[in-house]
Amino acid sequence: MIKLGVNIDHVATLRNARGEGYPDVVRAAHIAKQAGADNITVHLREDRRHIRDDDVWRLKEEVNIPINLEIALEEQMVDIALQLRPHSVCFVPEKRQEITTEGGLNTAIKTDYLKKTTADLKNRGIKVSYFIEPDIHIVKQCYALGGDCIEIHTGLYAQYCNQHKELEKNKILSAIHEAVKTAKDCHLDIHAGHGLNYANVADIAAIQDITCLNIGHFLISEALFIGLSEAITRMKKSMQTAHTINNHISV
Ligand code: PXP
């Protein structure tokens, strides 16, 4: 069974638009859990534009579900992660001006710090993941860094799907397959996410060695029309169907 991590950053975006206490991220996490979410993902950005420090603490204390904390590779953020001790930490690149996480982590810079931080987090019982472009060289670098997991950035794939650019989409899908194969050979756990929706999730969910998809913006948007619970239920169904059909074909 492929897992679904529900990213609830944009519940906080909506809350912060008015500065009131609603919609509440903890309430969203409870509903997501009941609807079948396997984990809750939150990105604690350095500018705190959506999720804030007290959100991550409340989620940890009030919702019994694994938390995947996305952070930039910065000392202040790492210290928070070491104190919070979420189920997992995913290192993501962060630029102040970007609308969302653009591109994957550059694993070739700050390598010693990334290696040390990975070890520190793992020593605290936290699983470590890196959000990367689908590139076999980067996958090998992740293996060398000592982490447990890679999360493949599907943003470009999703963009090509939305623009109906079949050639480009197939090219990036092959790169994703290659990256997955390399990660499997390195015994890394493999996740994927960014830009996924009902229309484009099947090709990614069908990749057998991907164990979890992290999806946010589409689910929170869809929740406006059909409710969060129903949006998650439908997504899980689409994912499981694609995963299972492909599993039967490849057996
Ligand atoms: N995975 C990572 C590492 C992300 O940074 C994001 C976006 O915050 C997602 C998954 C989810 O992307 P989306 O909101 O486009 O579904």
Side-chain angles (χ1 to χ4, degrees):
M1 294 281 269
I2 185 165
K3 291 182 174 173
L4 171 64
V6 174
N7 180 317
I8 56 170
D9 291 349
H10 296 300
V11 175
T13 304
L14 193 56
R15 176 197 60 195
N16 298 352
R18 269 291 177 92
E20 302 289 345
Y22 64 88
D24 179 23
V25 291
V26 168
R27 186 175 173 198
H30 278 299
I31 291 171
K33 185 186 171 194
Q34 275 164 13
D38 298 286
N39 77 62
I40 292 295
T41 291
V42 281
H43 183 174
L44 187 65
R45 295 186 70 100
E46 285 185 276
D47 62 9
R48 308 299 199 272
R49 72 169 71 152
H50 37 56
I51 293 294
R52 297 173 182 155
D53 299 55
D54 62 319
D55 292 328
V56 295
W57 284 102
R58 283 186 61 227
L59 286 165
K60 173 89 191 292
E61 280 155 18
E62 296 176 33
V63 192
N64 183 20
I65 190 167
I67 292 173
N68 176 39
L69 181 71
E70 297 175 359
I71 51 168
L73 183 63
E74 294 297 337
E75 200 175 333
Q76 184 217 6
M77 307 314 294
V78 173
D79 284 347
I80 293 171
L82 286 167
Q83 284 168 42
L84 182 76
R85 293 177 75 174
H87 170 76
S88 54
V89 160
C90 181
F91 284 110
V92 298
E94 216 175 276
K95 293 185 214 120
R96 283 287 159 95
Q97 301 309 323
E98 69 190 357
I99 294 172
T100 181
T101 315
E102 291 167 359
L105 192 69
N106 185 346
T107 47
I109 56 167
K110 288 177 133 183
T111 309
D112 289 343
Y113 182 53
L114 189 49
K115 219 179 219 179
K116 182 196 171 296
T117 305
T118 296
D120 290 347
L121 290 165
K122 285 180 71 166
N123 285 338
R124 296 278 284 168
I126 303 163
K127 182 173 167 176
V128 178
S129 173
Y130 314 108
F131 189 46
I132 58 164
E133 292 296 327
D135 177 312
I136 59 170
H137 303 292
I138 302 175
V139 175
K140 287 177 187 166
Q141 282 169 355
C142 291
Y143 172 67
L145 289 168
D148 306 280
C149 180
I150 56 160
E151 180 173 336
I152 298 177
H153 197 316
T154 52
L156 200 54
Y157 156 81
Q159 216 173 301
Y160 291 143
C161 288
N162 297 344
Q163 296 163 353
H164 305 288
K165 291 186 173 169
E166 282 299 305
L167 269 178
E168 290 87 343
K169 179 191 100 174
N170 290 335
K171 206 168 155 202
I172 196 107
L173 255 184
S174 318
I176 292 173
H177 278 272
E178 285 298 309
V180 167
K181 193 169 164 293
T182 306
K184 192 185 176 197
D185 291 344
C186 295
H187 303 288
L188 290 164
D189 192 8
I190 308 161
H191 301 171
H194 211 281
L196 297 176
N197 57 36
Y198 298 145
N200 63 26
V201 77
D203 281 340
I204 302 297
I207 302 173
Q208 291 306 296
D209 294 308
I210 293 183
T211 59
C212 181
L213 300 183
N214 288 316
I215 307 180
H217 188 259
F218 177 79
L219 288 175
I220 304 305
S221 306
E222 193 64 2
L224 293 174
F225 305 110
I226 62 172
L228 185 57
S229 187
E230 181 61 19
I232 291 170
T233 306
R234 285 192 199 178
M235 183 59 80
K236 267 213 106 165
K237 207 166 162 199
S238 302
M239 287 166 51
Q240 301 303 0
T241 305
H243 201 68
T244 313
I245 287 174
N246 198 42
N247 193 17
H248 288 158
I249 291 168
S250 50
V251 165

